[in-house]
Amino acid sequence: MPFATVDIRDDCGITDVPQMNSKRSKEKEGIKNDHIKKRKKALKDYQPNYFLSVPITNKKITAGIKVLQNAILQQDKRLAKAMVGDGSFHITLLVMQLLNEDEVNIGTDALLELKPFIEEILQGKHLTLPFQGIDTFQSQVGFVKLADGDHINTLTEIAETAKRTFQEKGILAGENRLFKPHLTFMKLSKAPMLRKKGVKKIAPELYEQFINHRFGEEILYQIDLCSMLKKKQSNGYYHCEASIVIGELESPSSAILRRYSKERPNGPSGKKPVGIQDIINEALHRERMELKSKVKQIKELLLKPETQAMIRKELFEGRVLNDGIHTDDADLSVTLL
């Protein structure tokens, strides 16, 4: 889905700097203007390439969307390349820009820190997301809607908390438009050649019989940090850097196994089911990313001057006297204790 242009003033709360006469005020004004220019440049170059995904795995929902897509294709086969693959169905909580491995690691840390905040919001309850009806964004993106209810407010609060958590880590994240959770099933931007063939919008009559259709419910149980640009997994889902499981004391690997252990049967699309090696590789990848994040935190802690001073004190204090003579074993053991 194309991302809206970020409005710098709305996102950063930048206001016009008032005119001041004093020399000191002009100096302050110049410093502030320089800071504003740097922030403007950063936001001007803002191109999201990662996102937080809530995967949709309820087979009733995915099967219903396939029926919807097939119904549309029966009316216009040209739209085939505009359809989202069933392995990619998700809700986007947050988009962000991560430019290198270090920033991806910071993003992973932010996701791990997000988990207790989400569980505090949920207060031990499950968040059920019911999907009903169809809508579009400017007739360019077709999506299944979330039914009205308190769950939208809860999901919005989670999205806002995620945005705040990532931004506090120094990550450029979020958009200037209001959060509107949706489940995309087709988008014309996936097939640019359609415009040359005269297809410029998604006609309402293509999906009118599904306007109020109930697709099913998904329980929020997992949030993934996914790449928009890296190669997708063999099952069609996005490349994941890290994941958190909501409401359970569960390792990333067990979450992956739980998610992918039920292999999808071969269908009309001819896709093969997910193999056990894919499950193992993905589980190992996520375990490795979490371990890598923890190792980085330990390294940062060890590099702090106060930590190094404490280590030196514990290891070497009392070992060697001023004249270079070692203490006896008893004194050394006392020192180390």
Side-chain angles (χ1 to χ4, degrees):
M1 175 178 176
F3 298 102
T5 303
V6 177
D7 188 307
I8 297 173
R9 292 180 179 272
D10 288 344
D11 265 18
C12 298
I14 297 173
T15 56
D16 292 331
V17 181
Q19 295 293 327
M20 301 179 186
N21 295 324
S22 69
K23 183 177 179 180
R24 186 174 180 181
S25 295
K26 286 182 178 180
E27 290 176 355
K28 288 184 177 180
E29 180 182 350
I31 294 171
K32 189 171 184 179
N33 282 335
D34 288 341
H35 179 63
I36 291 173
K37 287 178 181 178
K38 289 179 180 179
R39 296 182 76 178
K40 281 185 176 181
K41 185 179 186 305
L43 288 172
K44 184 179 180 182
D45 298 335
Y46 177 51
Q47 290 291 332
N49 59 343
Y50 279 82
F51 66 101
L52 292 186
S53 166
V54 176
I56 303 301
T57 58
N58 184 333
K59 289 186 177 181
K60 180 181 178 182
I61 297 175
T62 57
I65 294 176
K66 292 301 292 183
V67 172
L68 163 66
Q69 291 175 325
N70 289 334
I72 292 174
L73 292 178
Q74 286 177 6
Q75 300 172 71
D76 193 340
K77 294 181 179 179
R78 296 175 299 174
L79 295 171
K81 292 187 177 180
M83 297 299 172
V84 174
D86 56 355
S88 300
F89 294 141
H90 70 281
I91 293 177
T92 298
L93 278 183
L94 179 71
V95 297
M96 69 196 74
Q97 179 176 273
L98 304 175
L99 297 178
N100 50 52
E101 186 177 354
D102 286 341
E103 291 189 2
V104 171
N105 289 336
I106 294 172
T108 299
D109 291 343
L111 179 60
L112 296 176
E113 291 181 12
L114 179 61
K115 177 175 177 174
F117 294 128
I118 294 176
E119 293 181 342
E120 182 178 352
I121 292 171
L122 297 179
Q123 294 290 306
K125 299 178 182 178
H126 290 298
L127 179 60
T128 302
L129 305 173
F131 291 93
Q132 180 181 1
I134 304 295
D135 202 352
T136 69
F137 289 122
Q138 299 177 344
S139 298
Q140 299 297 303
V141 177
F143 61 89
V144 178
K145 300 190 297 182
L146 269 181
D148 292 335
D150 292 339
H151 53 272
I152 293 181
N153 294 332
T154 304
L155 192 62
T156 300
E157 185 178 358
I158 290 173
E160 291 173 350
T161 302
K163 181 177 180 180
R164 183 171 62 252
T165 302
F166 276 76
Q167 288 182 343
E168 287 175 353
K169 288 279 190 179
I171 294 173
L172 287 176
E175 299 175 274
N176 66 328
R177 60 188 171 190
L178 293 175
F179 174 66
K180 184 174 182 178
H182 59 279
L183 201 176
T184 300
F185 66 86
M186 70 177 294
K187 47 187 175 181
L188 298 185
S189 62
K190 284 174 60 67
M193 293 299 293
L194 287 174
R195 183 168 289 273
K196 293 183 179 180
K197 295 179 180 179
V199 181
K200 297 181 180 180
K201 65 179 183 178
I202 302 171
E205 56 267 22
L206 292 175
Y207 55 83
E208 60 182 354
Q209 60 181 313
F210 293 89
I211 286 293
N212 295 310
H213 180 74
R214 294 178 182 272
F215 287 86
E217 298 179 343
E218 182 79 28
I219 295 178
L220 175 64
Y221 75 97
Q222 182 172 325
I223 298 175
D224 302 321
L225 174 60
C226 297
S227 170
M228 298 179 187
L229 305 178
K230 291 183 179 181
K231 184 178 179 180
K232 289 185 177 181
Q233 301 174 38
S234 60
N235 67 333
Y237 192 64
Y238 298 89
H239 173 87
C240 292
E241 300 289 352
S243 300
I244 56 174
V245 176
I246 307 302
E248 297 179 25
L249 295 175
E250 185 175 22
S251 68
S253 60
S254 59
I256 294 300
L257 288 169
R258 180 163 57 83
R259 179 179 172 193
Y260 292 120
S261 59
K262 296 181 179 179
E263 299 181 348
R264 294 188 178 93
N266 288 325
S269 63
K271 289 184 180 179
K272 294 181 179 180
V274 180
I276 188 65
Q277 191 60 47
D278 292 320
I279 299 173
I280 294 172
N281 289 343
E282 184 63 19
L284 289 174
H285 173 72
R286 296 199 188 188
E287 291 280 16
R288 186 166 59 250
M289 290 304 299
E290 183 175 5
L291 180 60
K292 190 174 182 180
S293 173
K294 296 298 182 184
V295 169
K296 182 182 177 184
Q297 293 176 5
I298 293 171
K299 286 173 66 177
E300 291 174 350
L301 180 63
L302 291 175
L303 288 174
K304 290 183 177 180
E306 58 268 28
T307 305
Q308 294 181 2
M310 187 179 297
I311 292 173
R312 284 195 295 269
K313 181 178 179 181
E314 290 290 333
L315 290 179
F316 304 115
E317 186 180 53
R319 279 192 174 187
V320 182
L321 299 176
N322 291 335
D323 59 1
I325 300 175
H326 289 278
T327 60
D328 57 31
D329 290 340
D331 290 339
L332 178 57
S333 63
V334 171
T335 302
L336 292 177
L337 288 173

